[in-house]
Amino acid sequence: MKTRSDWTPARWLRIVLPTVVIVIWFIAGSLGGPTFGKLSGVSSNDQAAFLPASAESTAVQDWQKRFTDSQAVPAIVVIQSGSTIPQSDLASFAAIGAKLGDVPGVQTPESGQTTSVAGPIPSQDGRAVEFIVPVADTNNVKTVVADLRSVLKSELPSGTQGWVTGPAGLTADLVNAFGGIDGILLLVAVGAVFVILLLVYRALLLPVLVLLTSVFALCAAILVVYLFALWGWIKLSGQSQGILSILVIGAATDYSLLLVARYREALEHDESRWTAIVTAWRAAFEPILASGATVILALLCLLFSDLNSNKSLGPIAAIGIVFSLLSALTLLPTLLAVFGRAAFWPFRPKYAGGEHAHDHKHEGTERVAGLEGIRGVWRRVGLLIAHRPRLTWIVSFVVLVACAFGLTQLKANGVEQTALVLTQSDAVDGQKVLAKHFDAGSGAPVVIVAKEADGDAVLAATKKNDGISAATLYAGNVRPTQPGQSAPPPVVKDGRVLIQATLKAQPDSAAAEQVVRDLRRDLPSAGSGVLVGGVTAIALDTNDTAQRDLLRIIPIVLLVILLVLMLLLRSILAPVLLIGSVVLSYAAALGVSALVFDHLFRFPGADASVPLFGFVFLVALGVDYNIFLMTRVREESLRLGTRPGILRGLGMTGSVITSAGVVLAATFAALAVIPILFLVQIAFIVAFGVLLDTVLVRSLLVPAVSYDVGRAIWWPSKLWRAPRQSV
């Protein structure tokens, strides 16, 4: 008669079930893999597309569509000479403008015009000229700008330099910076994880099986996200695309580490690999499912955001976690069952006949209940907590609070668009030259919508603002009037006129945003229903909305996670303490990050969405490790009692949680290979925060507090009233 330890399923089941599971995942991988390179084709990095419908700048955009059918994005071509440009040379510069207008993707001229390009417009100091080139093919801005730069380079007169900048130029350079997101990012992340897994397992085959699990999860997630974006159900951006890849690789690997740890443990007690995988799957199922469900719910809380970019990231990332869960709970168990102990070669776990392999290793050392069979660093940590729990958690708490004081240095109120790309940018260099010779706001005007009857009054009030160098009523796509010429009549649509005002300051600067705030405050006195929009207003509304989202979403995420922990641990006190620990860990990580950004990396600031994204990822993923730890602690407490159960749970999960933290930190750190300020900051915040959470919070603070509180940690469950129950 077969015992539980040598149970083996029927031969047909051992063949059919693994084959079906593996084939299904291979089909998903074969369909999803090729779509990876297509994601960029359905993503958008247009900031305006992510604004809520209620934003004032969104309303202005809607009005602009009524005044013109063109949705062209302006590119500003600036040419600088080493000496004063003679008036007689402007004709040769005009020929350059004509060739720029012939570039495919540039707006075609209207009837009676030879080109849609405005210019050459000479600077007041006579040492530069500028052209305003309307880029109509907004789906291929990168290509059009590259062609403009090619034409400019070939046509530049000797002794001059040229740049393509403005909104189109900056957008093109931003898209170029995202260029490595399809390949380089994934290669770096997978490579880092593979090296870590080799060091953790000291096995050759097992890291490959774990990575296959992660990669197939990513392929399936990408397929679904691509289809949803193609059908218009979600808005995909470059930053969401990068975060999806990193999150799936990291989460799937973390879940896999937990299952593999349980499988290795089961192989020591069960001779049959099939019995071992069933035992491991049953033990790992609840914490993995609870962990994944918590992350999914936390991510879906982003649906409460007003910013469409945040709102879309929620379901995109949640899709990734769903497939991470599915692969870790279906594909990996199948692969482990097929390969058995061979997966761990050359250090295969040996069957110990149902006995704990190390139960008697510490007979000559100090015996502490719960630490039987625990060796190495986790035994020493357990002894520290057992002997000095209060001192341990107080010191940990003080360290985290000290780190959190760095929050006073955090500047997360948005940055200039010229600071978004961290590598050399032709558009950023051109913007500096433009500001040197022209009004920095050339080509990106403030757009004001007013009633026809109030048009002149609003125009006059606009010109009075010290931050505005010029303002005109929109008269259609006509060439700029020369001095002495009368202005053409303004275009009127549905009783409204459009005013275009040129900023003195750079359009994406704090000074320009203040001008927009001032106009929104002052212009209603000149006419009711005035709306102020434009490029600067879009950035301003985006930052303001992101800051409101932070205050709205954080309480929702905390409440959702608290409820999940209460259901999982069947306790009230333990979840409250765990939530407090992850919030403190987040504050500490953000505080240290603020100091590093300001004083080490010298970043100009941070995007307003950085604290929110950091919070969602750190809190949700930090709760992952809480769940891994506390579900094992509860399991052991049922057998041993609360305090021995805490030490046992810490000893049994310490290495796997630490490994999972290092893997997740490495995958998020890989985001730094994309030279975008937002992604580099998220990479550091999450990577450092996960390591801090793993090393200090999960290893010392939470176990020490729990040990100090004792069985009251389980209040009001039965475990609180009954210190020990037999299994």
Side-chain angles (χ1 to χ4, degrees):
M1 179 177 178
K2 289 188 177 181
T3 63
R4 178 182 175 275
S5 64
D6 62 0
W7 172 82
T8 302
R11 179 179 175 83
W12 70 268
L13 189 60
R14 300 200 311 268
I15 296 173
V16 172
L17 185 58
T19 301
V20 170
V21 172
I22 292 172
V23 166
I24 289 174
W25 278 104
F26 265 87
I27 291 173
S30 64
L31 294 176
T35 62
F36 191 76
K38 299 178 182 179
L39 281 180
S40 298
V42 293
S43 67
S44 169
N45 294 301
D46 179 13
Q47 197 175 29
F50 299 111
L51 278 171
S54 58
E56 187 169 339
S57 51
T58 305
V60 172
Q61 279 191 311
D62 293 338
W63 275 105
Q64 281 184 277
K65 293 175 183 177
R66 305 186 198 185
F67 281 85
T68 174
D69 293 333
S70 172
Q71 300 300 312
V73 178
I76 301 176
V77 177
V78 57
I79 300 176
Q80 176 182 253
S81 174
S83 58
T84 302
I85 299 173
Q87 192 74 18
S88 58
D89 286 356
L90 291 181
S92 62
F93 283 102
I96 296 176
K99 291 189 176 181
L100 292 171
D102 291 337
V103 169
V106 172
Q107 184 174 302
T108 56
E110 293 189 355
S111 177
Q113 296 181 354
T114 57
T115 182
S116 61
V117 176
I121 304 170
S123 62
Q124 288 188 351
D125 61 11
R127 299 172 70 89
V129 296
E130 71 170 344
F131 302 86
I132 300 176
V133 184
V135 177
D137 188 1
T138 55
N139 292 324
N140 296 288
V141 172
K142 173 184 171 181
T143 303
V144 177
V145 168
D147 291 343
L148 289 173
R149 287 171 176 162
S150 178
V151 169
L152 181 63
K153 183 178 180 180
S154 64
E155 298 296 327
L156 276 176
S158 61
T160 63
Q161 294 176 287
W163 297 266
V164 179
T165 184
L170 290 168
T171 298
D173 286 355
L174 186 64
V175 172
N176 282 327
F178 275 113
I181 212 162
D182 285 339
I184 297 175
L185 176 61
L186 186 61
L187 288 175
V188 171
V190 170
V193 171
F194 184 70
V195 171
I196 293 169
L197 291 176
L198 281 176
L199 295 174
V200 168
Y201 291 130
R202 295 176 297 165
L204 298 177
L205 180 58
L206 191 55
V208 175
L209 300 182
V210 171
L211 273 181
L212 278 176
T213 301
S214 302
V215 170
F216 277 114
L218 179 59
C219 289
I222 283 174
L223 177 61
V224 174
V225 169
Y226 173 78
L227 292 175
F228 282 10
L230 186 65
W231 298 335
W233 293 0
I234 56 175
K235 288 183 179 293
L236 181 65
S237 66
Q239 65 187 34
S240 299
Q241 185 180 341
I243 289 172
L244 172 67
S245 300
I246 291 303
L247 189 62
V248 173
I249 295 293
T253 304
D254 273 8
Y255 302 148
S256 299
L257 284 168
L258 184 62
L259 179 65
V260 170
R262 286 287 196 168
Y263 184 50
R264 182 196 289 271
E265 189 179 330
L267 285 172
E268 294 180 353
H269 309 308
D270 297 308
E271 187 174 7
S272 167
R273 54 179 169 163
W274 301 98
T275 302
I277 195 60
V278 170
T279 302
W281 190 88
R282 286 175 176 171
F285 177 78
E286 184 180 33
I288 290 177
L289 182 63
S291 171
T294 304
V295 177
I296 289 169
L297 290 174
L299 290 168
L300 290 179
C301 289
L302 289 172
L303 290 171
F304 291 98
S305 171
D306 281 337
L307 274 182
N308 290 329
S309 53
N310 294 350
K311 190 177 294 185
S312 294
L313 178 62
I316 289 170
I319 289 169
I321 297 297
V322 167
F323 284 103
S324 298
L325 275 176
L326 290 174
S327 64
L329 292 174
T330 59
L331 178 60
L332 183 61
T334 303
L335 295 174
L336 292 177
V338 169
F339 288 94
R341 287 177 170 80
F344 295 89
W345 185 85
F347 299 99
R348 303 186 186 192
K350 296 179 180 179
Y351 174 53
E355 298 291 333
H356 286 279
H358 308 290
D359 274 351
H360 307 292
K361 291 287 185 181
H362 299 280
E363 290 182 357
T365 62
E366 181 182 4
R367 297 182 65 86
V368 175
L371 292 179
E372 300 87 352
I374 306 300
R375 299 181 298 167
V377 65
W378 296 109
R379 179 174 179 81
R380 293 193 291 273
V381 172
L383 289 172
L384 173 65
I385 291 172
H387 293 321
R388 293 184 176 85
R390 189 162 300 174
L391 179 63
T392 301
W393 73 256
I394 288 176
V395 171
S396 302
F397 179 81
V398 170
V399 170
L400 291 170
V401 170
C403 292
F405 272 109
L407 282 171
T408 58
Q409 303 294 311
L410 183 64
K411 297 179 290 187
N413 51 4
V415 294
E416 298 177 359
Q417 191 176 5
T418 50
L420 292 180
V421 180
L422 299 178
T423 52
Q424 190 277 333
S425 165
D426 184 74
V428 171
D429 296 340
Q431 201 71 30
K432 294 175 183 176
V433 174
L434 187 69
K436 181 179 177 182
H437 298 286
F438 298 90
D439 290 320
S442 299
V446 176
V447 180
I448 301 165
V449 178
K451 293 178 181 177
E452 181 183 6
D454 300 328
D456 292 334
V458 173
L459 178 63
T462 301
K463 290 180 177 179
K464 289 180 181 178
N465 189 291
D466 292 337
I468 299 296
S469 63
T472 58
L473 288 164
Y474 176 73
N477 294 323
V478 297
R479 308 283 292 182
T481 57
Q482 301 299 320
Q485 292 181 335
S486 59
V491 175
V492 180
K493 295 289 183 180
D494 298 329
R496 298 289 194 278
V497 292
L498 208 64
I499 297 171
Q500 295 179 323
T502 302
L503 290 158
K504 292 180 180 178
Q506 194 166 297
D508 58 357
S509 65
E513 290 187 358
Q514 187 57 50
V515 171
V516 171
R517 292 188 191 276
D518 293 343
L519 290 173
R520 286 178 172 176
R521 180 195 63 206
D522 299 336
L523 293 185
S525 62
S528 61
V530 174
L531 299 172
V532 180
V535 173
T536 305
I538 289 171
L540 175 64
D541 289 345
T542 299
N543 290 334
D544 288 348
T545 305
Q547 290 171 0
R548 289 196 303 271
D549 282 350
L550 184 67
L551 298 176
R552 177 190 300 116
I553 293 174
I554 283 180
I556 297 173
V557 172
L558 291 177
L559 179 61
V560 167
I561 293 177
L562 181 64
L563 293 175
V564 172
L565 288 175
M566 285 180 177
L567 292 173
L568 180 66
L569 299 178
R570 303 164 182 85
S571 167
I572 293 177
L573 182 57
V576 170
L577 291 176
L578 294 178
I579 286 291
S581 74
V582 294
V583 170
L584 180 58
S585 176
Y586 163 73
L590 204 58
V592 171
S593 298
L595 296 174
V596 171
F597 295 162
D598 287 351
H599 303 294
L600 184 60
F601 295 157
R602 303 288 182 182
F603 289 152
D607 188 273
S609 294
V610 164
L612 177 60
F613 281 22
F615 175 83
V616 170
F617 290 125
L618 276 182
V619 171
L621 297 171
V623 167
D624 263 11
Y625 304 135
N626 273 320
I627 290 173
F628 291 170
L629 172 65
M630 294 306 289
T631 51
R632 186 60 182 261
V633 165
R634 191 176 191 281
E635 177 186 329
E636 298 295 343
S637 296
L638 288 169
R639 292 195 309 116
L640 307 172
T642 295
R643 285 194 169 98
I646 290 169
L647 299 180
R648 186 82 184 164
L650 175 63
M652 297 301 292
T653 63
S655 60
V656 67
I657 289 178
T658 302
S659 301
V662 171
V663 165
L664 194 63
T667 53
F668 266 92
L671 280 173
V673 302
I674 306 299
I676 302 294
L677 180 63
F678 171 86
L679 292 180
V680 171
Q681 289 176 329
I682 288 294
F684 183 86
I685 290 171
V686 178
F688 175 77
V690 166
L691 290 177
L692 182 69
D693 196 75
T694 303
V695 173
L696 185 60
V697 178
R698 222 55 50 215
S699 301
L700 295 173
L701 179 63
V702 169
V705 169
S706 301
Y707 195 93
D708 198 16
V709 173
R711 61 178 178 172
I713 198 79
W714 306 116
W715 180 84
S717 69
K718 292 180 180 179
L719 193 54
W720 163 61
R721 294 189 294 272
R724 182 181 301 189
Q725 298 176 11
S726 60
V727 179

